[in-house]
Amino acid sequence: MDGNGTAWDTQPDDEDLRLVNALRVGDEVAFASLIDRHYDAMLRVARLHVATREAAEDVVQETFLGVIKGIDRFEARSSFRTWMFRILVNQAKTRGERERRTQPFSSLEGELDADAPAIGPDRFRSEGRWAGFWCAPPSAEHLPEACVLAAEAGDRLAAAIDALPPAQRTVMTLRDVEGFSAAEVCSLLDLTQGNQRVLLHRARSKARASLEQYLGERVEA
Amino acid sequence: MRQPAVRCQEFVELVTDWEEGALDDASRLEFEEHMAICPPCVEYVKQLRLTRAVLRGAAELDRRGPSAPPPAARAALLEEFRRQRGNG
Ligand SMILES: [Zn+2]
């Protein structure tokens, strides 16, 4: 099985409870370390929805203010991180829709309905006994371990992800860049597990295609 | 060669459900049977994983950059925390 250890519950752990209690009694050191630990990730997630770094910084600021105000309302029905990022995503979405940078998430239906194969049908045999089997299989050329090339490939992938429809972009970034579990992403974005998987599947399929294209160009060069 | 129950074209659509542990036992078995005899599909799965590894690697590089919270924003938050929740 896959090694990413899909954790299906987002229950708060002991660490969470300690943190929440520390914040409730006014422990400033705990709050400072909360900021330092999550600021970057929050900024990246906010940037999925708003146009500029400045706007994203505003969203993160508003989120932390929301945490200060709302900490008494944290009901321990989710992990603290999920709770906090939920505030963040809601703020960022609202602001993004106001800016009209992104189509609202209401375009989600479109992202789920559209019939988009992971791989174009021309890559498979169309007739005979082996119809549906590869005729143009992915090649076994691999990236060397060298970091420079990996960074170049990373840029290409970042561009590919940026071009994804909003819900796919958000799901893949949360899962594969920020390391959120499937359950956390469902909770953050109000998605069913099935829809989360469809969006992830489409996003990963397209990202892989752009990596394959990059690898192909390197071989030709 | 015996025909596997799952074709490559179906395999590439099932791969996320397989990775996420969302296939029922029968489908998982068919999927894994295909994978056992089809090197190109193994290559496909490898590329999917390489994609994620490259992404994570790039994110790690980013994180080493100068991206701590802006000092003014951080100070303002701590100030607000003190004002609303402080014991003083
Ligand atoms: Zn195959």
Side-chain angles (χ1 to χ4, degrees), chain A residues 116-118 157 160 164-165 168 201-211:
Chain A
L157 277 179
L164 292 171
Q168 291 175 35
H201 178 69
R202 299 204 170 150
R204 283 179 173 173
S205 301
K206 289 176 202 163
R208 188 216 61 88
S210 86
L211 183 72

Side-chain angles (χ1 to χ4, degrees), chain A residues 28 40 118 129 131 201 208, chain B residues 3 7 13 16 47 67 82:
Chain A
E28 197 180 318
D40 286 353
R129 185 166 134 78
H201 178 69
R208 188 216 61 88
Chain B
Q3 284 238 340
R7 290 160 190 265
E13 301 298 348
T16 305
Q47 284 189 1
S67 51
R82 228 170 287 137

